[in-house]
Amino acid sequence: MIKVGIVGGTGYTGVELLRLLLAHPRVDIALITSRAEAGRPVADLFPSLRGRIELSFSDPDDEALAACDVVFFATPHNVAMRSVPALLAAGARVIDLSADFRIRDAGLWEQWYGEPHLCPELLGEAVYGLPERHRETIRDARLLACPGCYPTAVQLGFMPLLEEGLIDTQTLIANAVSGVSGAGRQAKIDNLLSEVSDSFKAYGVSGHRHLPEIEQGLSAMAAQPVSLTFVPHLAPMIRGIHATLYGALNAAGRAADLQALYEDAYAHEPFVDVLPAGQYPQTRSVRGANTCQLALSVPQNRETVVVTVVEDNLVKGAAGQAIQCMNLMFGEDESAGIALPGLLP
Amino acid sequence: MIKVGIVGGTGYTGVELLRLLLAHPRVDIALITSRAEAGRPVADLFPSLRGRIELSFSDPDDEALAACDVVFFATPHNVAMRSVPALLAAGARVIDLSADFRIRDAGLWEQWYGEPHLCPELLGEAVYGLPERHRETIRDARLLACPGCYPTAVQLGFMPLLEEGLIDTQTLIANAVSGVSGAGRQAKIDNLLSEVSDSFKAYGVSGHRHLPEIEQGLSAMAAQPVSLTFVPHLAPMIRGIHATLYGALNAAGRAADLQALYEDAYAHEPFVDVLPAGQYPQTRSVRGANTCQLALSVPQNRETVVVTVVEDNLVKGAAGQAIQCMNLMFGEDESAGIALPGLLP
Amino acid sequence: MIKVGIVGGTGYTGVELLRLLLAHPRVDIALITSRAEAGRPVADLFPSLRGRIELSFSDPDDEALAACDVVFFATPHNVAMRSVPALLAAGARVIDLSADFRIRDAGLWEQWYGEPHLCPELLGEAVYGLPERHRETIRDARLLACPGCYPTAVQLGFMPLLEEGLIDTQTLIANAVSGVSGAGRQAKIDNLLSEVSDSFKAYGVSGHRHLPEIEQGLSAMAAQPVSLTFVPHLAPMIRGIHATLYGALNAAGRAADLQALYEDAYAHEPFVDVLPAGQYPQTRSVRGANTCQLALSVPQNRETVVVTVVEDNLVKGAAGQAIQCMNLMFGEDESAGIALPGLLP
Amino acid sequence: MIKVGIVGGTGYTGVELLRLLLAHPRVDIALITSRAEAGRPVADLFPSLRGRIELSFSDPDDEALAACDVVFFATPHNVAMRSVPALLAAGARVIDLSADFRIRDAGLWEQWYGEPHLCPELLGEAVYGLPERHRETIRDARLLACPGCYPTAVQLGFMPLLEEGLIDTQTLIANAVSGVSGAGRQAKIDNLLSEVSDSFKAYGVSGHRHLPEIEQGLSAMAAQPVSLTFVPHLAPMIRGIHATLYGALNAAGRAADLQALYEDAYAHEPFVDVLPAGQYPQTRSVRGANTCQLALSVPQNRETVVVTVVEDNLVKGAAGQAIQCMNLMFGEDESAGIALPGLLP
């Protein structure tokens, strides 16, 4: 059994980790920490888990965490990097669902997150947890940086086009939409049902922290620096990311069979599903599942390719992908605990 | 392995049966029928099942169904009773999720459903699939009648009070609320998002078909005829039943420790969860789960007891309960395939 | 023109007052106060009002308020009673949308609100702003206490039955449902879209502050103390109150023509609409309107009468009713500014 | 008073026309037709209008319609063009909210709508009802073609950029999102709450009928043929259009003060509101209002300009804009009946 510790279990990513890990045949949850809720039974905060988990939240306990095989951080940024060096030194492996180790350039991190990085020496070692691109290095990772929710969808959507050099790299557009759970379980007026229900808006248009992470990943795929216009939006729903990606096809792109390209690229991926031509994904089809569904289109047979991508921001965009990486890191079946279909309707 | 056939798999109950049965370790889905969609891959209609099921819908095929160990009917009323006698004769067992075998009195059935019952001789044999009350007879059932969604919630909520004779049986009130999936996957203007979103209403106030089913069950619990005022409502959500039950406590009821009564009554039930005093259930805590959560209150310490009950109408109110019964009928672990917690948020 | 001041304009009741007063032909909004937002243009906080209002929020200013013809308090309880005596002394009239002057018994107020009342000497003078019952005294009120949202629906629903003595007064039940805007524009996790969307729950079962207000009103109608079981619920929608009221008919009640009783009782009321027999109200039909719609039913012709009532909690349940009272107090057409139909769909 | 007839009043555009016309000081609604609902009181179908309108739906009656000053068609395409020639000949003016007269090229119309146009000789006379571009010709129109909901948002968003020649005309992108009411009041499984709530999807990616209408309008603004990639999406809300527009700035565009350009362009428009730099519009701010709000951004100061635009699809995108045009056609105040702010929250 894999002995698991979770730091920061009171948010939506935390409860989703619990839901999925409880279904995992080879995991033993040893502790789950929360300063604010220490001592409170987990199932008291999340009644959906009543009868499924006996643990209470505990105060952060470095020793107990260090004794785990793997520690998940489901915390805001700037928390994991305070503990990771010691945990690694003690022999635990770390899966960080926050932003602390996603960006390889410490200066860029500081520019977007507004504070100096506390362990830049680990940035080179951290493995970016997108299995569809980094599967082999993930297996050996001590420190895994889980991709953000938007970055997962955008990178999976653009990857085959960029790897094959079929679109212009300087005019990429990602128009992305998220459910409100992406904003976390925080007391903010902006995310009240009365504020966001029956409404739709863009936000962070002038610059969202996922932009440098996405550009870093896309640039690696393209083997050259890319330029992306990334506009996130908020939709009145709980879960789900929908990304609509636009790329200007070059001559090779106009000549290519894009549908075949994507079907081939993802033929052996357990969690990326290319829809048949003419079908388009909807977020509800992956609600609660670790699946990313996507579709290709070249409207009017002109020169712009449109890729539509959906995922559940809490699963393939967070907790599910983290478990997929854990499975790889510990030699388990990659789909263990995350194979079930989503909830529809 | 239990060889399963499903009749009428294109509705919400059908797709929920599929989702749960696919997670069941001892089930093999042999066929799923639909006249309207015959030949179409199931995963084409329900993209959430892509990669999880290879079957296509088939035309109803009596022979293939008769070769199954058990046949589920996820059909409107008045369909199952046309096929059940032949299936039973062929040796298959039947779990009917429709209303055809829920009411033991053929005359009452005809009064509420507007047509004569086609096999009244089977009504006596049919076992009502509420495991918390009929577990032992369910084990041996050839023909199982799954309770309706409202009846499950209302009966589980009132059961201990009525069995112990603690409330007046002539003034029972059940104020119940359902999500829109309870109305089925039918093309009706009334259930468009634009019609029911951001709105709330009562319906069927003058008489809902679940009333005679509920009164039949409650009367058996009370060992005397009860009289219930049952008012169903529609809430702007996909899944979930919330029932608020009101009973006039008699002297014995006022003297009793109701919290202890309920905790004892359901102490060994895997799918009924009595909340601690002072907590109240919400439907999202059981979204996708087979759990019924309930709570007791006697406001202002007066003489009215209030029981609040939640369930997922498609799980404990339909497909999940059907599988719970199947597990009993085939000697499986009662929780097989339906043990996972729900999706929160 | 009526010169209006508003205290506490940053909540949902405040912005609804603004929307309606801006449509009023005889109102001039002189100032609107908010400590937290002082100096900020109102239309900056509420972009729906851009181009419609030039005012900025101002710090509370007793002198400027005292110079108004009428001051609305759209504040939490325990604010208005600090300022009302001075405003009245200065000659302004006051319409309080909070709970400070709704309950005539200072001891009862203290029991439910947990603090002593600061001007109990004004409780006798305060007029309860339910025009359908107190129209004539409202005309002359200096200090008007606007009913709560639930109390408006429950009282209008029970009034004819109680005034005519047709139901038992000791077993009244009000099962009420509110949209989330009733919880106000406050940063609370409990009211995030991710927490309450696609879910339904009861709350305050053991005692809600609207209970004593409702019982006070119903007792006056019945000319005897009544006992009410009041269970509020939260539905996943922005606006709307739906109340389902249950009463045990006495002999006179069973003999009466209840539909005719209600149609007569409300025949001349501009904002109470009794639906034809067999129709039931939905909250969306009154979204944004000052209308209360209701319907009568006696299910199965038994002995329980069911009244279903809808209103918009922010209009007939708050700002609209306040303006209706203002119109009466200042001799305007009772419907001025609040006559328009709601938004459907 | 303007004597108004409405053809096809049972859809969402029809009921919105009624709501707004009832608030218009100079309109008299003479008749409203519906084959399916002939004889039924309008307020019976739409209870929000009870007490506000006495009319019943009537069978289409050419004579009665011809006696109106203006006839609104709130019908599917291919209906208005059967009656318009006779109405015009009889001296009535026509405001068509359907697609029949929006496209000036009969061949293009036939290509997208799949049937020959029945009165192509009127296409030249029809005036396109976008007041911000065609105000003067609208005043004299006999036959007015109201823009579609998406086309209104996209054209208002791109107009200043195209008129000033600041973006590349061959790589325009409009990523647009609509609430479900845009799909009309039709019995379709696809638009059930259980299908579209808590979900998000693109549709019509390969070609939506609004594309040729938008390209026609944008090409006129640019004085050259444009090429647009237009991807519509469905969001789980009732009302609202949100368009996110992307344009590649040319040298002139990069040098221009785009915020000032838009503020100047729309400075005197009563229904287009350019937000201050740094603010972004949300659909709820214009719910029920005739306002279009928009904002400009050039993310990262690169070369792509992003315009975000919101409107209520049933108001500025349909009924409100139709009334704005009617006001111009009949010499009324352009804002009569449509000046009120929307409903927030």
Side-chain angles (χ1 to χ4, degrees), chain D residues 169-193:
Chain D
T169 60
Q170 298 309 298
T171 56
L172 302 175
I173 290 174
N175 189 100
V177 174
S178 177
V180 184
S181 65
R185 194 172 156 274
Q186 318 256 6
K188 286 188 59 178
I189 285 178
D190 279 359
N191 297 323
L192 296 178
L193 181 137

Side-chain angles (χ1 to χ4, degrees), chain A residues 7-23:
Chain A
V7 179
T10 62
Y12 295 138
T13 303
V15 65
E16 189 68 355
L17 265 178
L18 289 173
R19 180 180 75 90
L20 295 170
L21 290 173
L22 287 170

Side-chain angles (χ1 to χ4, degrees), chain A residues 98-139:
Chain A
S98 84
D100 284 5
F101 296 95
R102 291 174 187 162
I103 295 180
R104 306 184 77 78
D105 175 337
L108 192 61
W109 197 91
E110 184 170 341
Q111 172 188 330
W112 283 88
Y113 289 89
E115 352 191 16
H117 200 284
L118 297 181
C119 40
E121 71 282 3
L122 289 174
L123 291 175
E125 176 183 351
V127 176
Y128 191 68
L130 194 67
E132 292 76 8
R133 185 151 167 93
H134 301 292
R135 182 168 282 112
E136 293 315 313
T137 49
I138 290 169
R139 293 189 202 279

Side-chain angles (χ1 to χ4, degrees), chain B residues 12 179-182 184-189 191-198 235-238, chain D residues 12 179-182 184-189 191-198 235-238:
Chain B
Y12 295 138
V180 184
S181 65
R185 195 172 154 275
Q186 317 257 4
K188 286 188 58 178
I189 286 178
N191 296 323
L192 296 178
L193 180 138
S194 300
E195 297 288 309
V196 290
S197 179
D198 215 53
M237 58 190 190
I238 298 176
Chain D
Y12 295 138
V180 184
S181 65
R185 194 172 156 274
Q186 318 256 6
K188 286 188 59 178
I189 285 178
N191 297 323
L192 296 178
L193 181 137
S194 300
E195 296 288 310
V196 289
S197 180
D198 215 55
M237 59 188 188
I238 299 176

